[in-house]
């Protein structure tokens, strides 16, 4: 993972953002928990990238779409998946914790303290969190 410490990215109140293993952070230091949290996100992003690119490689010739759709691959995780799941969480109760309730975040928060999690994690483990609502 490449870590870039800065005061600009991410914008707003967020402290850290991860683009396929390149981590932008406003924090001076990263805790092992935070590093593990972000490593889990990197794995999720790689999985989604493979799924999305494969779908495009099938759909583009099958549906006669423009190959320019491949330009969307680098932003696919954050825009297509993450924002879609976040929007869904805004529509589902509890309404005040949409960010924390995203399936991708729940997998990270539930397992960030377990430094061995990524070694035994199954592919697309975040999918089970889509169907498991948070318990409060
Ligand atoms: Zn996160």
């Amino acid at each position: 993972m490449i870590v870039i410490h800065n005061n600009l990215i991410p914008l707003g109140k967020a402290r850290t953002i991860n683009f396929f293993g390149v981590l932008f952070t406003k924090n001076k230091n990263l805790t092992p928990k935070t590093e593990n949290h972000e490593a889990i996100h990197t794995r999720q992003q790689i999985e989604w990238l493979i799924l999305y690119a494969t779908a495009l490689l099938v759909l583009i010739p099958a549906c006669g779409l423009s190959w320019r759709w491949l330009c969307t691959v680098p932003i696919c995780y954050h825009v297509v998946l993450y924002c879609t799941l976040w929007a869904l969480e805004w529509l589902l109760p509890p309404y005040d914790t949409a960010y924390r309730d995203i399936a991708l975040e729940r997998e990270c928060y539930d397992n960030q303290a377990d430094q061995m999690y990524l070694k035994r994690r199954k592919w697309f483990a975040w999918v089970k969190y889509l169907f498991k609502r948070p318990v409060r």
Side-chain angles (χ1 to χ4, degrees):
M1 186 166 5
I2 298 169
V3 180
I4 300 172
H5 297 273
N6 72 95
N7 292 320
L8 185 62
I9 302 171
L11 300 174
K13 290 188 281 183
R15 302 295 305 168
T16 304
I17 191 165
N18 181 344
F19 292 101
F20 301 98
V22 179
L23 201 64
F24 293 88
T25 183
K26 294 176 183 171
N27 296 340
K28 295 266 186 234
N29 298 305
L30 296 176
T31 65
K33 262 188 189 176
T34 302
E35 287 179 1
N36 202 32
H37 181 105
E38 297 304 330
I40 297 168
H41 275 313
T42 300
R43 188 76 62 88
Q44 294 168 340
Q45 292 169 2
I46 291 167
E47 292 165 351
W48 182 246
L49 178 72
I50 292 167
L51 193 66
Y52 188 80
T54 303
L56 283 180
L57 290 174
V58 170
L59 289 174
I60 288 172
C63 300
L65 300 173
S66 168
W67 286 100
R68 290 185 184 137
W69 275 96
L70 287 177
C71 296
T72 62
V73 168
I75 59 169
C76 65
Y77 174 83
H78 289 92
V79 175
V80 177
L81 181 62
Y82 199 93
C83 292
T84 300
L85 292 177
W86 196 340
L88 283 174
E89 290 299 335
W90 275 105
L91 299 173
L92 300 170
Y95 302 105
D96 58 338
T97 57
Y99 156 76
R100 181 66 177 76
D101 291 342
I102 299 170
L104 303 163
E105 290 299 341
R106 277 190 284 130
E107 181 192 10
C108 291
Y109 281 108
D110 283 0
N111 300 292
Q112 66 186 7
D114 180 356
Q115 295 297 321
M116 299 306 290
Y117 176 69
L118 278 176
K119 294 208 183 290
R120 60 175 161 39
R121 179 186 182 269
K122 294 186 174 140
W123 282 79
F124 296 96
W126 57 271
V127 172
K128 73 179 175 193
Y129 288 86
L130 289 174
F131 306 102
K132 195 168 95 179
R133 295 300 303 155
V135 179
R136 298 253 173 351

